[in-house]
Each structure stands twice: as structure tokens, then as C-alpha cells.
Amino acid sequence: MESHIKKLTFAGTLITLGIIFGDIGTSPLYVFQTLLVEGGKVNSLLVLGSISCIFWTLTLQTTFKYIIITLQADNHGEGGIFSLYALVRRYGKWLAIPAIIGAGTLLADGIITPPISVTSAIEGLSNVPALSNPIKHPEFVPGSHLILGLVIGIMLALFFFQQFGTKIVGSAFGPVMLLWFLMIGTLGFFQIIHDPSVFKALSPVYGYRLLTEHKDGFWLLGAVFLCTTGAEALYSDLGHCGRKNIQVSWIFVKTTLLLSYLGQGAWVLSRPAGYNFTGVNPFYAIVPDPQLLMIPAVVLATLATIIASQALISGSFTLISEAVSMNFWPRITIKYPSNIRGQIYIPSINWILCIGCILVSLYFETSEHMTAAYGFSITIAMLMTTILMSYFMRYVKHWPLWIVVIILCVFLTVEFSFFITNAAKLLKRIFFVVFEIGLIFTMYIWFKARKINNRFLHFIDLKDQIPLLIALSADESVSKYSTHLIYLTKANNAKQVEEKVMYSIMSRKPKRADTYWFIHIETTNEPYTMEYSVDQIEPGKVIRVEFRLGFRIQPRVNVLYRKVIEDMVARHEIDITSKYDSLNQYKIAADFRFVIMEKFLSYNNSFGAKEGFILNSYFAIKKLAQTEAKAFGLDTSETYVEKIPLVVKPVGNIILKRIEA
């Protein structure tokens, strides 16, 4: 299934509707309502100017930047900010910073997208005629205990079922979203036919007039931006559907979105002078025959927002998984709930997002209050993507410098304008800022500490060590440690090994073995590579295995190594029958043992404040992460963990005076 959906097919576009466009597709639920609330007096300038800004935002940001340009940054079928970083990282070491900031802010807004979407859908119950009287039915007023309870119940169920994967219900996502887009497009169309003049709002003149003539025109961009918040997630899900399916289905999606916004605008313009829009959501107001159709509309809206939330949660899992693979995040438990490629489940992230979403719902209570805090993080994520994309266009695609500069200026101007207007929301989203800083801090510390760690990796020539290894292997005065002894090595050069590995074998209780194995894992820029090679440096005695694994493949070394052994035995390259006489006669398999070396920060250090802070933070975070043995999928019964002190800068100038007793 995965191979054919990336081709342009009807099935592929249907799946794309379910996976890609949930977030951006449910924005008509709250965008226009927010503009009416923040715009003050409702008049034709506000309505037509808002629609104009929405249209040109969708055209510039979503269509031009993401659908046309950014989707070209296809890292062997995968998208997202880390895939983009993987394509350009060789052109600047500092590019890790925008990648970290972009990923952190994108993850942080994951705790407000599900609440705002689901809440805005459930609040539609207050538009059902039988329930619309706030005096008779206060339980259906936005922010009521019943509405909050339904929202929290839906989100708890959503996060609970993540552990089982979306294989069963995933097939329904596409058809549900197709119905959703058909519904919003149709509702909008029937309003437009009453006042086709609303199409003049597509002229940029009305957007310009709103920004220059309305007293709060520029600041309304913060609300306008909500129409394109799903664009960044759109690129992240490239690997699930393929570029062609996304680009073609976007034509349909954008058409229905515009019909919805134009229809809502036409309805507002048709209201008599002095009409009270307080508490009115134009999205539900344009539903004809509320007695009959309002409940189905609310149900479909709720299903669409659940699907949008599911896509965002899955995207968060993918992002963290890639961060782990590229050494931006501590190793944590990653599970695969189904046999669908790329479908993963990360328990810790799942429940952090769940708690965050519930707290957001309880704090803000209504979708109207949530929109006042929504969008700030996404603007930062978009700015970071723009920076990385400029390097991609210039150095990977080799576009002329003047074209790159023009495109960069256009998007930086647009996105910086959105950033300024959204920055006004900062005080209303302190909770998110703390979460964002925590995510970015963790990624930065992990990345920088790994760099510091790697400075103290010393490699030596493995060929020079072979006589010593052979001599130790034959020395029966040393008790045998294991028949097959396996070390993980970071040496990219097949002829080298870490000095600390040889120190572990020779000096920390000599470890005699019949065969010494050195395993190296290379993480490739391709997402799903699974290859290995074997180099018998000293046949039967010293063997190096090189695994080439894609950045989305979990390095389960125990399983992979066992497969290598099976292949080598089948090829008659090695004999793994036990060398002990009593076991050999019964053809019992030999024993294998992995040695994992874990560093700890030595007290014998004297370093500056910055390095000290980074390393102390790194080892504090590391205590919460998976052990190396668990991270590499090694059975504890076969693994020995050896503690190694990390000495960055030894304490010197110790003056110790001896006195006579």
C-alpha cells in the first residue's frame, strides 16, 4: 500500500485528504469568528479586507511557499524540518539552530491545536435550535462544564488509542475529510449565490485597505494567520502521501476553503445594520435548516477535528523519532503499533501532549480564548523553515542568487509581519513559552553536549592492535571473558577503533575472547535504508560489521546482529559452535556478550561556566533517558555496562605538600 499511494491516484488523493489537510481544513471553524471578535465594528471593509488577506495568505504561504517550493525539498520521499536540515547541514554548522528552534516551536503548538479544533467543533451544539437557549440549556454555552467535559473526554480517548495505532480507523480518515470539504464548500456556495459580489474580496486592494484604513488593521493579521497554521505540518507529512497527491488535492482543498470563507463573508454582509455578532460563529450560522442539519454538521466537524488532531499527534511522534536518530533528543522508548511503515508510538510524548492539551482546555475554556493565544509558535517554525529553505534553493537546487534573495525577502516580510502581530499574544501563552523553552533547551543541550563529547573521541589504527588481540585471545593464563565479544564503535573509518575500547579490553580486567567484533552504525539521510557489510580484518578473530540504517529505523542491534550471524553461518564464513569441549560435541552454540561503555561526568574536571552548564544539564537529562543497552535493543542478559569517566579539562596546579609523620 505504501508504495502506490505516493503515485498520483484517486486513492492516493483520498488518503492525502485524511492525513495532510486536517489542521488547515478545520480552520474555517474559528478564523472568521476570531476576525469578527477582534475587528470591532463589523462593516464591508472588515469583511472584504479579511477575506482578501485570507486568500492571499493561503496563496503566498500555503500554495507558493509550501505546495510549490518547500515540497521540492524531498529527502528521499520524506519531509519535515529535520529532513530539510539533513539536506542542507553540510552547508553551515549553525543551521542546527534554526532546525532546533523550528522543531521545538512546532511541537509546542501541538498542545493547542487539538483543543482549539475539538472545542470549536463541540461548541456548535449551542447552535442546535433545541439547545440554543442559554437560560434553558446553560450546559451548552461555550465554556460550560458539559462542553469542557466532552472536549476532554474526546482527547483522552484520542490519546489512549494512540498505543494501538490507526490502522483500523485510518482507512476512514480520507472519506470523512472528503465529506467535510464537500460540506464546507457547499455551505459556502449557497451563501455566495445570494451575493456573488463577495468575489471582489479576492482583489489585493481590499486586503491593503484593511491594513491601512482599519484602526486595528495590521494587528488583525494575527487572526488572519490562523487560516494557514496547518501548512508547516503539511510539509512534515510529505512522506506519507507523496508530493503529487498533495499538490493535486490542494486544488480541491483550497477551493472548498475559499468557498467557506466567501460564504461566511456573504452571510455577514447580508445581516442588517446594527446586527449583534456577539457569540456568533458564522461557520455554523450558514448551516441551512438548523433543526435538521445542525447536529450532523457538528458531528462531522467533530470527526474532522479529531482527524486533524490525530495527524498532528502522529507528526509529533515522527518529529521526535527523527530528533533521536539525528542526536537532537535523548533516546526514549519508541514503539511500532502496526506493520504500516512509519507509524510509530512514543509513550512519553503521547502523555505529555495529552496532559498539555487537557490543561489548555481547562485554562482557556472556550475556542475564542484559545485563538487569542494560538499561532505564535507556528510563525517561528515557518521563519526557521524559510531560513533552511533558502540554503536548499541556493546550494542544493542551485537557483540563481537573485531569485533566492527575492523569495527570501517576500517570505521574511510576510512571516515577520505575522510574527509581530502574534507576539502580542505572548502574555496569554506563558504556559506554551515554558513548554517551548523546555523543548528547545533539551534539543540544544543534547546537540552541543554530543559535540563536546565527540571532541574527546580518540581513534587508533586497528591493524596495530591485532597482534595484541590475537595474543590475548591465545593466553590461557587469562580466564575467558566470552567466546564472542562485541563492542559498538563510533569510528567511521573501518580501519580504526576508539582508544577507550582497547583500554576496556586490555586494561580494565583483560577481556579474553575467541572473536572480537566491532559494530558501527551509520545513520543515512535516507529514511528507510537497511544495509550491512562485513569486514573480516583478521579472519575468525577480528571482525567489523557496518550497519547503514535510515534515520527513521530503530537501531535494534541485537536483532540486526543476530541476522548478520545467521547470514554468515549460512555462507560458511564463520562457525559459531562452542569451543568448549563438553559443549562442542553436542553442537551447542557459543556465547556472545556485548560491552556498552557509558560515560559519567568525572569530578576531575575544571571547565568554564558554559561547558559546565551544558555538560551538567546533559548528564541530568541523560538520567531520564533510555540506557544505551535499551536504546540499541540489547538484551540485558548478554550485555555488560562499563562506566567510563568523562574528563573534559583535568584539574591542574594541585599543590600538595608532604609532611613527615
Side-chain angles (χ1 to χ4, degrees):
M1 177 176 158
E2 289 287 337
S3 59
H4 78 261
I5 66 167
K6 294 190 179 182
K7 297 176 182 177
L8 182 57
T9 61
F10 175 75
T13 54
L14 190 63
I15 290 168
T16 301
L17 291 179
I19 294 176
I20 302 291
F21 295 113
D23 191 1
I24 202 168
T26 52
S27 56
L29 278 166
Y30 48 81
V31 171
F32 219 86
Q33 180 187 27
T34 306
L35 284 162
L36 293 182
V37 170
E38 296 184 5
K41 184 181 178 182
V42 177
N43 53 32
S44 61
L45 174 61
L46 175 65
V47 174
L48 297 177
S50 296
I51 295 173
S52 180
C53 287
I54 288 170
F55 171 70
W56 288 103
T57 298
L58 288 173
T59 301
L60 274 175
Q61 281 296 110
T62 314
T63 306
F64 187 53
K65 179 184 174 181
Y66 285 96
I67 298 293
I68 295 176
I69 297 179
T70 308
L71 287 185
Q72 293 186 44
D74 179 332
N75 187 359
H76 301 277
E78 296 302 318
I81 198 158
F82 281 130
S83 290
L84 178 56
Y85 169 70
L87 291 170
V88 300
R89 59 182 169 184
R90 69 178 75 106
Y91 303 111
K93 293 181 179 179
W94 72 277
L95 292 174
I97 301 302
I100 289 170
I101 295 172
T105 50
L106 194 59
L107 276 169
D109 251 24
I111 62 172
I112 192 170
T113 299
I116 193 175
S117 300
V118 176
T119 304
S120 59
I122 296 295
E123 284 175 352
L125 289 171
S126 63
N127 293 278
V128 176
L131 310 173
S132 59
N133 189 320
I135 297 174
K136 289 184 178 179
H137 297 284
E139 67 272 21
F140 290 101
V141 173
S144 67
H145 293 312
L146 180 61
I147 297 288
L148 272 175
L150 287 171
V151 170
I152 291 172
I154 287 170
M155 287 191 295
L156 277 172
L158 180 65
F159 283 102
F160 175 76
F161 281 104
Q162 294 303 312
Q163 60 192 301
F164 306 113
T166 55
K167 184 177 182 181
I168 298 172
V169 295
S171 57
F173 285 1
V176 170
M177 290 308 296
L178 177 61
L179 286 175
W180 166 255
F181 286 117
L182 288 172
M183 183 188 84
I184 66 172
T186 303
L187 292 177
F189 175 76
F190 280 116
Q191 290 298 320
I192 295 168
I193 57 177
H194 296 305
D195 184 11
S197 66
V198 75
F199 275 110
K200 63 187 179 184
L202 302 185
S203 166
V205 172
Y206 288 94
Y208 175 76
R209 284 186 58 200
L210 177 72
L211 298 179
T212 56
E213 295 177 20
H214 193 284
K215 65 183 181 72
D216 295 318
F218 178 75
W219 298 104
L220 287 176
L221 285 177
V224 169
F225 179 73
L226 300 177
C227 75
T228 190
T229 50
E232 188 69 34
L234 175 153
Y235 173 51
S236 299
D237 287 322
L238 170 64
H240 294 289
C241 301
R243 186 192 313 161
K244 290 292 183 186
N245 285 320
I246 296 174
Q247 290 173 333
V248 170
S249 54
W250 171 243
I251 298 170
F252 167 70
V253 170
K254 185 179 179 183
T255 302
T256 58
L257 288 174
L258 288 176
L259 286 173
S260 180
Y261 289 124
L262 287 165
Q264 291 180 53
W267 179 86
V268 172
L269 290 174
S270 69
R271 297 305 93 189
Y275 187 88
N276 184 10
F277 288 97
T278 305
V280 174
N281 186 340
F283 177 84
Y284 287 113
I286 67 175
V287 176
D289 194 357
Q291 201 81 33
L292 181 66
L293 299 178
M294 187 59 72
I295 289 180
V298 172
V299 169
L300 189 55
T302 304
L303 290 174
T305 55
I306 289 171
I307 291 169
S309 302
Q310 173 59 54
L312 186 135
I313 295 165
S314 299
S316 299
F317 293 160
T318 300
L319 196 64
I320 288 292
S321 176
E322 290 177 6
V324 170
S325 298
M326 300 179 77
N327 292 323
F328 283 111
W329 193 264
R331 295 190 181 277
I332 51 178
T333 301
I334 298 175
K335 297 183 177 180
Y336 298 83
S338 76
N339 57 5
I340 297 176
R341 190 182 76 175
Q343 189 173 111
I344 57 177
Y345 169 65
I346 305 179
S348 56
I349 299 300
N350 183 69
W351 296 113
I352 287 171
L353 288 176
C354 180
I355 292 168
C357 287
I358 291 171
L359 291 176
V360 167
S361 300
L362 292 172
Y363 180 75
F364 289 105
E365 296 185 344
T366 68
S367 61
E368 184 182 314
H369 292 153
M370 290 179 199
T371 56
Y374 189 36
F376 176 75
S377 298
I378 298 296
T379 57
I380 298 175
M382 287 183 170
L383 281 165
M384 298 304 107
T385 298
T386 299
I387 292 169
L388 294 174
M389 271 306 300
S390 65
Y391 274 75
F392 175 79
M393 290 184 290
R394 182 73 184 105
Y395 298 108
V396 179
K397 286 293 187 180
H398 305 293
W399 288 12
L401 181 61
W402 65 272
I403 292 179
V404 175
V405 170
I406 290 172
I407 292 173
L408 188 62
C409 289
V410 169
F411 289 131
L412 287 180
T413 302
V414 172
E415 289 165 2
F416 198 67
S417 298
F418 284 132
F419 173 76
I420 293 171
T421 55
N422 277 294
K425 303 175 178 181
L426 202 56
L427 290 177
K428 298 176 182 178
R429 47 174 296 122
I430 294 299
F431 173 75
F432 305 102
V433 173
V434 172
F435 189 49
E436 284 158 9
I437 290 172
L439 291 167
I440 294 168
F441 173 79
T442 301
M443 290 189 194
Y444 177 77
I445 290 295
W446 204 259
F447 178 73
K448 292 297 289 184
R450 298 283 295 192
K451 291 287 184 186
I452 294 171
N453 246 322
N454 290 340
R455 287 209 315 254
F456 299 94
L457 274 178
H458 299 291
F459 297 101
I460 54 178
D461 196 331
L462 189 53
K463 286 278 187 185
D464 295 341
Q465 308 303 313
I466 287 176
L468 195 54
L469 289 171
I470 292 173
L472 176 60
S473 181
D475 187 355
E476 294 187 2
S477 67
V478 178
S479 59
K480 187 182 286 187
Y481 188 77
S482 177
T483 305
H484 294 268
L485 189 60
I486 310 121
Y487 281 86
L488 299 180
T489 176
K490 293 181 180 178
N492 293 323
N493 188 336
K495 297 179 180 179
Q496 293 182 327
V497 71
E498 292 96 321
E499 188 176 38
K500 67 178 183 179
V501 169
M502 295 309 301
Y503 178 80
S504 169
I505 294 172
M506 300 299 172
S507 304
R508 298 193 120 210
K509 185 185 182 305
K511 298 178 178 65
R512 183 164 78 89
D514 291 332
T515 307
Y516 294 94
W517 298 79
F518 300 102
I519 294 178
H520 179 255
I521 300 172
E522 178 191 347
T523 302
T524 67
N525 286 342
E526 298 83 12
Y528 296 107
T529 306
M530 285 189 72
E531 301 171 347
Y532 83 91
S533 60
V534 176
D535 181 8
Q536 295 226 31
I537 299 167
E538 183 67 26
K541 286 293 180 185
V542 181
I543 304 172
R544 177 181 164 110
V545 179
E546 178 89 26
F547 288 112
R548 297 185 73 252
L549 304 178
F551 64 83
R552 284 195 171 179
I553 298 296
Q554 188 181 16
R556 291 177 288 184
V557 174
N558 208 55
V559 176
L560 297 172
Y561 177 68
R562 190 179 298 126
K563 177 62 178 171
V564 170
I565 294 296
E566 288 173 2
D567 286 353
M568 293 181 72
V569 169
R571 293 167 182 255
H572 305 290
E573 293 175 341
I574 57 169
D575 177 12
I576 61 166
T577 307
S578 177
K579 298 294 191 293
Y580 296 108
D581 293 339
S582 57
L583 301 179
N584 183 271
Q585 61 180 318
Y586 293 102
K587 305 297 181 185
I588 302 296
D591 57 302
F592 292 79
R593 179 176 257 194
F594 288 87
V595 174
I596 294 289
M597 289 180 287
E598 282 191 357
K599 288 181 180 175
F600 65 91
L601 193 58
S602 172
Y603 290 115
N604 184 26
N605 273 306
S606 175
F607 34 52
K610 183 181 177 182
E611 277 194 340
F613 176 73
I614 289 173
L615 288 170
N616 278 299
S617 300
Y618 169 76
F619 282 101
I621 294 169
K622 195 173 182 181
K623 289 178 182 177
L624 303 174
Q626 275 185 327
T627 62
E628 292 283 308
K630 191 174 181 181
F632 287 108
L634 298 173
D635 292 334
T636 52
S637 60
E638 299 176 353
T639 306
Y640 172 69
V641 178
E642 195 167 85
K643 299 289 185 179
I644 304 290
L646 175 63
V647 181
V648 177
K649 188 177 180 183
V651 176
N653 301 320
I654 297 176
I655 301 172
L656 187 62
K657 183 179 179 181
R658 176 174 173 172
I659 58 173
E660 297 299 328

